[in-house]
Amino acid sequence: MVDVRFRKIHGAGNDFILIAGSSADLDKDWSDTARRLCARRTGIGADGLIVSALIDTDPAVLGVACFNADGSIATMCGNALRCAAWCAATDHSFHDMTLVMAGVKHQALVGDDGSWVTAEAGAIDPRCIELVWNGHALCFDSAHTGTEHVVAVVDNVDSLDAEECGRLVRHHPRLAPLGSNVNFVQATGPQALKIRTYERGVEAETLSCGSGAVAAVVVATLHGLVTDSPVTVHNRSGTPLTVRPHAERSSAFWIGGPVTLTYQGELT
């Protein structure tokens, strides 16, 4: 790999290495590259690798591929999409665009209030997993938001070891063979949640998760913990995301928040 420019970028703490390439790059297998570059001690370090390519300009369409730190392909990553949209807005002055990830189209808006993308939420499977962990009775509902998530509503997210418990649940037999992202959610008000997420593919607790924030809102709404309005989802990064219903599609939500460019570099 010679003279390939990259950005180190993060969406509310969920960090990525982003390469703006060509449409041909979207068809390549970047798994080995993702594992090498995302390694925290020997690579650049990131939760994932994003490869984006401009497919059309009128209207603006961007192809986005995301590879997790372990080299697996992400079918949906809200923060990766938000970062890709932010970069497209910076590079091409697009502020309203369509992003295509794993064959699924997402709307994107980039403005003064942050970078926003859409996510579709499927049906909830309530109480799909029940267990006791270190004296905590946990009940998980599953919610598909473009990728697999399970969500447990708890009294205090800070009292749990989200990484250890998350890893256990991620490999639960009921979730085989794919496993799942695992979220622990606490309601802190009628329009506010606090979340911790163990991400499949990163195989660790991450500072923020866009699709997990949507899953948390969907489950919390079902339990009557938040109202059907914009919800602020506070994460480990201290930079919250906002999830709000889509005005035109009942099963869709907008995820929004800041995107930050950490630095740029060149791969040789």
Side-chain angles (χ1 to χ4, degrees):
M1 186 180 295
V2 180
D3 298 334
V4 176
R5 300 288 299 173
F6 74 90
R7 292 178 172 98
K8 177 66 186 294
I9 193 167
H10 72 87
N14 201 184
D15 63 335
F16 302 94
I17 301 156
L18 186 142
I19 297 171
S22 66
S23 56
D25 290 321
L26 296 175
D27 297 325
K28 295 179 181 178
D29 184 356
W30 294 82
S31 299
D32 290 341
T33 303
R35 282 190 288 269
R36 177 168 56 87
L37 296 181
C38 292
R40 293 286 180 187
R41 294 184 181 275
T42 57
I44 296 170
D47 292 329
L49 170 67
I50 303 169
V51 180
S52 66
L54 188 62
I55 296 174
D56 205 346
T57 58
D58 187 20
V61 180
L62 196 73
V64 182
C66 183
F67 292 79
N68 295 313
D70 69 353
S72 60
I73 298 174
T75 56
M76 164 56 178
C77 181
N79 282 323
L81 288 168
R82 294 195 317 102
C83 288
W86 185 91
C87 289
T90 301
D91 294 344
H92 307 290
S93 299
F94 298 141
H95 298 286
D96 185 348
M97 64 199 92
T98 298
L99 307 184
V100 183
M101 177 182 280
V104 178
K105 293 181 179 180
H106 303 266
Q107 293 176 260
L109 297 171
V110 180
D112 293 338
D113 61 344
S115 180
W116 295 79
V117 298
T118 57
E120 294 282 343
I124 295 174
D125 181 8
R127 307 180 75 87
C128 68
I129 296 175
E130 296 181 66
L131 56 84
V132 176
W133 183 86
N134 280 2
H136 297 275
L138 299 174
C139 179
F140 292 87
D141 299 335
S142 71
H144 196 281
T145 56
T147 187
E148 292 77 12
H149 280 275
V150 292
V151 180
V153 176
V154 299
D155 294 330
N156 184 354
V157 294
D158 295 322
S159 68
L160 292 165
D161 185 333
E163 186 138 330
E164 184 178 336
C165 185
R167 186 178 296 111
L168 173 69
V169 176
R170 178 255 189 272
H171 292 288
H172 195 282
R174 286 286 304 274
L175 302 175
L178 295 177
S180 178
N181 300 285
V182 183
N183 305 273
F184 306 92
V185 176
Q186 174 187 348
T188 58
Q191 291 176 253
L193 298 173
K194 193 173 182 180
I195 189 172
R196 295 179 67 180
T197 301
Y198 180 93
E199 283 204 54
R200 180 188 63 187
V202 181
E203 304 307 332
E205 181 180 7
T206 55
L207 296 179
S208 174
C209 178
S211 58
V214 175
V217 169
V218 170
V219 170
T221 301
L222 177 70
H223 287 274
L225 300 175
V226 295
T227 58
D228 189 18
S229 58
V231 176
T232 302
V233 183
H234 298 273
N235 47 44
R236 297 293 278 178
S237 73
T239 304
L241 295 173
T242 300
V243 176
R244 66 173 189 247
H246 195 289
E248 299 172 2
R249 305 196 327 254
S250 60
S251 62
F253 294 82
W254 286 98
I255 322 159
V259 169
T260 303
L261 175 65
T262 307
Y263 58 86
Q264 302 181 75
E266 188 173 282
L267 300 172
T268 59

